[in-house]
Amino acid sequence: MVAAGAALADEVGLAKLTMGLLAERVGVRTPSLYKHVNGLEDLNRRIAVLALNEAADAVGGAIQGYAGRDALAAAARAFRAFVVAHPGRYAATIGVEPSGPDDPLAAAGQRLLTAFTAVLRGYEVPESDVEHALRTLRSLCHGFGTLQASNGFQWSADIDESFEWLIAFADRGLRSM
């Protein structure tokens, strides 16, 4: 049910995802969905967990065997690709808070942070600045990916070239720490 909801969110946008639309998609009556989820908020949280785990898998897999700029580039490209391919499920991750340390959302979010933290090991980022560096990387990748997914770049410059410029910019910044 969650996978179907995530696919539908990618297709129509998270804001347009409804229990009725999901029921129609999977061929059941809306009340039948409540055997699987406790409503739209629960479905959105489960989609967020799925998305964070998928993004963590993509980034973690991409950085294997790389360090420094190569790891940064691999992580950034994987994250951007995930956001562009799955805009609805990625949108579910924004602003949702774990209910506690045992919440699957907390574990999934930590997996993604761990992958990006591994990227930072290739740079001499002081421990006291790691959280700031993580927020900066997230902001850069999130901003670019969500703008691209929503067709927010309508200039003539090549989007891939711009993204490579972003990677070089981040690399220079991290090396200067």
Side-chain angles (χ1 to χ4, degrees), residues 1-10 22 26 43 46-47 50 54 89:
M1 197 62 55
V2 175
L8 188 56
D10 287 339
L22 178 58
V26 297
L43 176 62
R46 291 174 187 231
I47 291 171
L50 174 69
E54 289 174 341
R89 69 186 70 188

Side-chain angles (χ1 to χ4, degrees), residues 96-177:
V96 64
E97 294 283 330
S99 60
D102 295 334
D103 186 336
L105 186 65
Q110 187 57 52
R111 287 187 63 228
L112 185 55
L113 282 176
T114 297
F116 274 102
T117 301
V119 169
L120 295 178
R121 287 191 204 108
Y123 295 92
E124 294 181 22
V125 177
E127 188 63 34
S128 61
D129 289 337
V130 167
E131 197 168 312
H132 301 300
L134 287 169
R135 285 179 178 157
T136 299
L137 289 179
R138 176 162 188 233
S139 296
L140 290 170
C141 295
H142 163 85
F144 199 102
T146 55
L147 281 168
Q148 183 180 353
S150 64
N151 198 27
F153 295 123
Q154 297 186 12
W155 309 303
S156 62
D158 182 81
I159 292 173
D160 292 330
E161 282 183 37
S162 295
F163 194 71
E164 293 305 313
W165 195 92
L166 179 139
I167 291 168
F169 180 81
D171 176 61
R172 283 190 306 273
L174 288 169
R175 281 189 286 122
S176 72
M177 296 295 300

Side-chain angles (χ1 to χ4, degrees), residues 5-46:
L8 188 56
D10 287 339
E11 187 180 315
V12 302
L14 185 68
K16 294 181 181 174
L17 177 64
T18 66
M19 296 296 279
L21 192 56
L22 178 58
E24 184 180 311
R25 172 60 57 95
V26 297
V28 301
R29 295 177 51 115
T30 303
S32 298
L33 294 178
Y34 291 89
K35 294 176 185 174
H36 305 281
V37 295
N38 294 323
L40 189 58
E41 183 178 335
D42 182 42
L43 176 62
N44 287 346
R45 287 182 69 76
R46 291 174 187 231

